[in-house]
Amino acid sequence: MAKGRREVPPCSMTYGLPLYCAAWVPLDRISSSPDAVATAEEALEKTEDEGNTPVTTEGDGAADVVANSALSPAHGNKLLLALGGGGGEGHSGVPNAILLSLFDFESRSLSDNPVHRVGTGGELPYRMTMHPGGDGFICSFLKSCRCFEWDIPNSMEPSKLAIKSSGYILQPLEDAGLQLALAFSSDGTALAAGGEDGHLRVFKWPSMDIILNQTDAHSTVKYVDFSSDGKFLVSIGGSGPCRVWDLESSTAVTNLQVEEGEKFCFCRFSESSDILYVIAMHDDVGKVISWSSSSWKRISSKKIGHDPISAFSVSYDGKFLAIGTVEGDIAIINSSDFKVQMSVKKAHIGPVTAVEFSQASRALVSTSFDSTARVTVIEDTKNNGSSLLLAFLVILLAILVYFMK
């Protein structure tokens, strides 16, 4: 390798366009989604029309066939990522697209090239939220939002999964301007969208009936997230407070108070406990703050670095937090004591634009303006600690045997 050249591991790949958003594809849920069942029904009908007998067990229907050939359980070491980005509306020559990339746990490598690509013309995919039930995903563009759904292969191989534009029109978000924040609730029955113009909306999904419609929630809505039970929504704006909304009464229940010198940047509920995490910059220092989601009072806080934080996520099992910085660094933090479990300096050359944990909390994807996506595998520190202890005991025993001779 040439002297001074940056070594790039196989878990990091460059895909030729600045990446703004990322999400893990819920392969196990896609196999049982209505679209997958419909695909299986078509396959069964075709098989029967051709005079063949489908291989099923007693009582099997299309849903059972799909379940028996589920994407994720059969391919547990293959994960699929959706990535969005591009060069924008200008004539930069950089295309706008949504990509699917495959990650292999055994080799800890990302596919050299996307396994699927959908061009989005002059529209830049800026934000993305994946439906937790496997029913596609939504991307926000400069003027509106669009739905995408899965083109499910008969082989049920993750690498064969494709994307197609959905015919479902998100009418309330047509020509609504750029939505800087998008999120589905954990059960997939609600969708939140926060606009660059400060307009915050929450809809029932998929009917798009309005639950919350706040035109002046913030000067600009930067981030939104649902509580695990779907009763509350938290939002952060470009300036001003972090607000918590009661979705049953469609009202703001509290504004989380900042301390002098603090500026809130990101917010996310834990999926496994009654805790809300907020990332803030305190003067020039980054910090993580935990809040009780019952009393809305601060529980604890800790400084976590000096570089501005540009991305944040919480693992599905609630054990870890992840941050990305404008310097291209990423860090995985233990949620119990806010200690850094692992970090990667210069994981990207450019600012980190997104970090997201996989559904099983086994891996973290990070993306950047430098056109790279990187997957960091979450190491089991307990197993590592046990191995170190065992090695220490073996060495100690060897020393004792030596001196007893």
Side-chain angles (χ1 to χ4, degrees), residues 15 131 275 366 389:
Y15 289 121
H131 190 273
I275 295 177
S366 54
L389 179 60

Side-chain angles (χ1 to χ4, degrees), residues 35-346:
D35 286 342
V37 174
T39 299
E41 286 175 345
E42 291 175 6
L44 282 172
E45 289 174 2
K46 182 178 180 181
T47 301
E48 291 168 354
D49 289 342
E50 291 173 352
N52 299 320
T53 303
V55 180
T56 63
T57 58
E58 184 178 353
D60 277 346
D64 296 309
V65 172
V66 171
N68 290 336
S69 58
L71 282 161
S72 183
H75 306 276
N77 286 323
K78 304 284 188 181
L79 298 183
L80 203 61
L81 280 165
L83 309 168
E89 291 189 326
H91 301 285
S92 65
V94 179
N96 300 308
I98 299 168
L99 317 175
L100 291 181
S101 179
L102 195 67
F103 179 71
D104 187 321
F105 256 103
E106 291 184 0
S107 62
R108 298 196 176 189
S109 61
L110 274 168
S111 52
D112 292 343
N113 298 298
V115 297
H116 184 69
R117 174 191 292 259
V118 171
T120 57
E123 296 182 295
L124 171 66
Y126 195 69
R127 290 288 186 269
M128 177 186 296
T129 183
M130 189 73 59
H131 190 273
D135 296 328
F137 59 94
I138 296 173
C139 277
S140 69
F141 299 91
L142 184 62
K143 296 178 181 178
S144 60
C145 292
R146 285 166 55 190
C147 275
F148 294 86
E149 58 188 27
W150 306 114
D151 191 354
I152 303 167
N154 291 331
S155 65
M156 301 304 285
E157 285 285 339
S159 62
K160 302 297 183 182
L161 191 67
I163 304 166
K164 58 184 179 181
S165 185
S166 170
Y168 186 58
I169 305 298
L170 302 173
Q171 194 62 45
L173 296 176
E174 281 287 290
D175 299 318
L178 177 61
Q179 302 301 300
L180 294 174
L182 288 174
F184 276 112
S185 60
S186 297
D187 62 2
T189 61
L191 169 70
E196 188 177 33
D197 59 359
H199 195 160
L200 176 64
R201 302 172 177 91
V202 180
F203 306 96
K204 293 180 181 179
W205 183 262
S207 68
M208 294 299 283
D209 293 336
I210 197 72
I211 297 173
L212 176 70
N213 188 18
Q214 194 73 27
T215 57
D216 56 353
H218 302 275
S219 58
T220 295
V221 183
K222 292 285 191 181
Y223 208 85
V224 295
D225 192 43
F226 288 92
S227 60
S228 59
D229 58 9
K231 293 181 179 179
F232 298 101
L233 182 86
V234 63
S235 64
I236 282 181
S239 61
C242 176
R243 289 185 170 173
V244 180
W245 307 85
D246 184 332
L247 298 181
E248 291 183 353
S249 62
S250 300
T251 58
V253 293
T254 188
N255 292 338
L256 302 184
Q257 296 301 309
V258 298
E259 294 180 351
E260 186 176 353
E262 278 184 347
K263 181 180 179 181
F264 293 158
C265 305
F266 300 94
C267 52
R268 197 109 173 207
F269 284 100
S270 170
E271 289 287 332
S272 62
S273 63
D274 296 330
I275 295 177
L276 169 66
Y277 297 103
V278 174
I279 296 295
M281 291 302 296
H282 197 153
D283 297 326
D284 61 347
V285 176
K287 65 192 292 188
V288 57
I289 310 164
S290 61
W291 302 74
S292 166
S293 60
S294 55
S295 66
W296 305 115
K297 292 182 179 179
R298 289 189 186 221
I299 300 172
S300 62
S301 65
K302 187 175 181 179
K303 296 177 181 178
I304 52 175
H306 288 276
D307 295 326
I309 296 168
S310 54
F312 176 58
S313 185
V314 178
S315 65
Y316 286 82
D317 62 10
K319 294 180 180 179
F320 304 110
L321 316 177
I323 60 168
T325 74
V326 296
E327 296 298 322
D329 305 334
I330 59 172
I332 297 170
I333 300 164
N334 195 302
S335 64
S336 61
D337 54 14
F338 295 159
K339 289 183 179 179
V340 175
Q341 171 153 323
M342 60 185 301
S343 62
V344 183
K345 290 288 185 182
K346 298 299 179 183

